[in-house]
């Protein structure tokens, strides 16, 4: 199950991220989603690796926007419920 979640996170597209955000009623613009995808694709994400997830969230706070980082943290927590 963890491998499926990791594959989904690592292959996420901008449109899929926007669809997920919409599904959970989380406001996210196209430009913000593009920046998030760029950061996520900068390394292979292992959602079980809390240090890595924290590092990605920190990057989102500084490189995108603190609000967006909390949005992505909410979405990642939705994925982590499947682990």
């Amino acid at each position: 199950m963890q491998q499926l979640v990791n594959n989904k996170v690592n292959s996420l597209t901008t449109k899929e991220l926007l669809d997920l955000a919409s599904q959970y009623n989380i406001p996210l613009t196209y430009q913000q989603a593009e920046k998030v995808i760029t950061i996520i694709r900068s390394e292979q994400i292992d959602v079980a690796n809390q240090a890595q997830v924290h590092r990605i969230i920190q990057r989102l706070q500084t490189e995108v926007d603190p609000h967006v980082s909390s949005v992505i943290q909410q979405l990642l927590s939705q994925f982590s419920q499947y682990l």
Side-chain angles (χ1 to χ4, degrees):
M1 186 57 95
Q2 180 179 338
Q3 187 176 3
L4 288 172
V5 173
N6 285 338
N7 284 341
K8 182 60 179 173
V9 170
N10 287 302
S11 65
L12 203 60
T13 66
T14 302
K15 182 184 179 330
E16 289 172 328
L17 179 57
L18 288 168
D19 289 345
L20 276 171
S22 175
Q23 179 181 342
Y24 292 103
N25 296 317
I26 299 171
L28 190 66
T29 69
Y30 185 84
Q31 291 78 13
Q32 291 168 326
E34 281 189 319
K35 289 178 184 178
V36 168
I37 293 300
T38 299
I39 290 171
I40 288 175
R41 289 196 178 148
S42 70
E43 57 185 287
Q44 282 291 108
I45 306 294
D46 176 0
V47 293
N49 181 340
Q50 291 304 307
Q52 182 186 40
V53 170
H54 181 72
R55 185 174 63 248
I56 294 294
I57 297 300
Q58 289 298 109
R59 280 189 65 192
L60 291 170
Q61 281 184 333
T62 58
E63 295 177 34
V64 183
D65 173 305
H67 172 72
V68 171
S69 72
S70 68
V71 165
I72 299 307
Q73 194 165 18
Q74 289 175 40
L75 288 174
L76 286 175
S77 72
Q78 296 298 323
F79 279 126
S80 68
Q81 74 183 354
Y82 298 110
L83 300 180

